[in-house]
Amino acid sequence: MLDKIKDIEAAAIAALPEAGQDLKKLGDWQVRFLGKKGELTLLLRETGKLPEAERPAFGVAVNQAKAVLVSKAEEIQAGLEKKLLEEQIKSQALDVTLPGRRGLSGSIHPLSGVMRDCADIFNRLGFNVETGPEIEDVFHNFDALNVGEGHPSREPSDTYYLDAQRILRTHTSPVQVRAMESRKPPIRMIALGRVFRRDASDATHGSQFHQIEGLAVDEFGKVRLSDLKGTLETFVKMMFGRELKSRFRPSFFPFTEPSVELDMQCFQCKGLNGGCGVCKMCGWIELGGAGMVHPNVFKALGYEEGRYAGFAFGFGVDRLAMMRHGIPDLRLFWENDAEFLKQF
Ligand code: FA5
């Protein structure tokens, strides 16, 4: 039996150079000689067949052979693992001197940028920014603004109705009403936001677009048409360039009297040489409506008759952004084309 131990040990050592080539083969070798059903373990089970006196010496001899083989296997395993680790380090090596890859970063949407600039300019002129709901009621959007019952803008063909009283606001003017409702003058506010109309969309029209609204109200005599003109002229210069002139044309809005339309000199051609493509050869670009707050608006809000005066204005932000960035079609603002947006 002792010879058997020697034979197994010798066979195991002879098989080691082959088994030591990789961890898989070494594992198989360990199972074959040292595993639960390995040759040495099975031999140990035969201890019972020996005369009792020989058993201790046999057990010691098997365990010694086992210890020799385990130690050899551990040594080879450590070597193989070290080699594997070195190979991994080599193959996965990082060149920390390589320049990094720049991640995609977002940018301010051109409409948000223009709205931010508008807010900034009017803040500096003493106006604070106020907000109102996009789902508005008929009173704030039409009634309080002196828009008569039969006015075409109230038709369901022009306005999105949620029910008889609730609509998607068609302009930012209801935010003026909410400001006048919530506190007494002096008031100097602007509102920026989305508005909705059943307009067919084309290069200069959308069924949703953005407006900027402004309102200044104070005791009668403290706010005049000339203040409106000065404010809007200053806005145009700060937004588009100091050299640009503005002009008022007579117009009509139910909530202002007198009402005007504000034009600015074309920033592209400055009105020289008979105009250009941007201003459609007229030298001027239309920005939006304005005027002095109509007495009926004050009346609808319970303001004392004749005590207050105010001016108001409202422009299309999408068209301001088109002009500012030379964009020919406002639908581009909605398409979320990353190539378009990353230019800003
Ligand atoms: C108004 O909405 C008035 N609330 C403006 C106002 C406020 C006048 C205060 C007086 C006092 P209007 O419907 O003209 O006015 O619209 C104002 C601006 O919104 C237009 O000059 C234009 O720039 C823009 N706009 C109008 N319709 C569209 C549309 N479908 N798509 C994009 N922009 C539009």
Side-chain angles (χ1 to χ4, degrees):
M1 287 290 262
L2 286 175
D3 288 345
K4 255 191 176 172
I5 300 173
K6 292 263 173 261
D7 292 348
I8 293 174
E9 190 179 342
I13 288 171
L16 259 185
E18 169 67 18
Q21 281 173 13
D22 63 46
L23 287 169
K24 161 90 181 63
K25 284 183 179 163
L26 187 66
D28 294 344
W29 179 92
Q30 280 166 322
V31 170
R32 181 177 156 199
F33 294 105
L34 303 168
K36 269 189 198 161
K37 290 182 183 165
E39 295 186 20
L40 271 184
T41 317
L42 293 178
L43 195 62
L44 204 58
R45 284 194 198 145
E46 288 178 27
T47 314
K49 293 180 188 164
L50 290 172
E52 210 164 321
E54 290 174 26
R55 287 179 196 167
F58 178 72
V60 169
V62 171
N63 283 331
Q64 270 175 353
K66 212 173 180 178
V68 169
L69 296 183
V70 165
S71 133
K72 285 195 184 297
E74 279 176 353
E75 198 181 310
I76 291 172
Q77 184 169 351
L80 286 171
E81 282 172 352
K82 191 170 168 228
K83 206 169 130 204
L84 198 69
L85 187 66
E86 280 166 359
E87 278 166 10
Q88 268 177 3
I89 290 172
K90 224 177 184 177
S91 67
Q92 295 171 4
L94 286 180
D95 180 355
V96 290
T97 63
L98 274 178
R101 278 192 213 112
R102 199 174 273 281
L104 277 181
S105 63
S107 54
I108 301 287
H109 191 283
L111 288 176
S112 307
V114 165
M115 288 200 268
R116 217 159 63 166
D117 292 349
C118 287
D120 195 39
I121 292 170
F122 281 107
N123 276 164
R124 285 154 73 185
L125 296 176
F127 290 73
N128 64 306
V129 178
E130 300 196 13
T131 55
E134 289 180 354
I135 294 178
E136 198 36 288
D137 55 58
V138 168
F139 173 75
H140 290 90
N141 198 85
F142 295 127
D143 299 343
L145 287 164
N146 195 35
V147 180
E149 286 288 338
H151 196 278
S153 66
R154 298 174 80 124
E155 290 296 317
S157 56
D158 286 36
T159 297
Y160 293 102
Y161 278 84
L162 303 184
D163 55 38
Q165 286 308 314
R166 290 180 314 148
I167 57 168
L168 297 183
R169 68 179 179 192
T170 58
H171 51 175
T172 40
S173 299
V175 191
Q176 303 180 24
V177 177
R178 289 183 179 276
M180 287 191 271
E181 223 175 23
S182 67
R183 59 186 191 276
K184 286 273 168 270
I187 296 171
R188 274 192 195 186
M189 54 75 67
I190 60 160
L192 292 147
R194 221 155 28 140
V195 302
F196 309 83
R197 291 184 193 177
R198 283 191 184 271
D199 283 350
S201 73
D202 61 24
T204 51
H205 292 84
S207 51
Q208 17 177 339
F209 55 99
H210 299 77
Q211 285 190 337
I212 173 171
E213 186 80 16
L215 174 75
V217 182
D218 209 330
E219 299 277 335
F220 187 84
K222 288 191 181 169
V223 186
R224 301 162 196 219
L225 191 66
S226 52
D227 297 312
L228 170 63
K229 192 145 196 273
T231 303
L232 295 185
E233 267 173 5
T234 308
F235 167 71
V236 166
K237 286 179 189 300
M238 288 171 86
M239 190 78 176
F240 291 99
R242 297 209 64 77
E243 70 289 0
L244 293 177
K245 295 202 176 86
S246 315
R247 73 176 185 191
F248 278 173
R249 277 181 294 113
S251 186
F252 173 79
F253 295 99
F255 32 92
T256 46
E257 179 58 35
S259 298
V260 294
E261 204 77 45
L262 174 76
D263 293 342
M264 70 173 210
Q265 223 174 19
C266 175
F267 56 91
Q268 185 77 39
C269 65
K270 319 253 172 351
L272 300 172
N273 306 321
C276 68
V278 173
C279 57
K280 302 203 178 79
M281 312 310 284
C282 81
W284 294 92
I285 293 171
E286 187 183 306
L287 283 187
M292 300 305 288
V293 177
H294 196 290
N296 285 351
V297 175
F298 288 137
K299 200 167 154 194
L301 295 170
Y303 275 40
E304 197 183 314
E305 207 179 324
R307 181 165 174 195
Y308 298 105
F311 68 67
F313 56 87
F315 308 144
V317 171
D318 307 62
R319 298 209 189 144
L320 288 178
M322 285 170 79
M323 287 189 269
R324 179 159 233 214
H325 297 294
I327 294 164
D329 191 324
L330 60 68
R331 286 169 292 194
L332 285 163
F333 293 134
W334 295 102
E335 283 171 2
N336 283 336
D337 176 348
E339 286 302 309
F340 168 73
L341 292 174
K342 82 179 179 200
Q343 301 174 73
F344 302 96

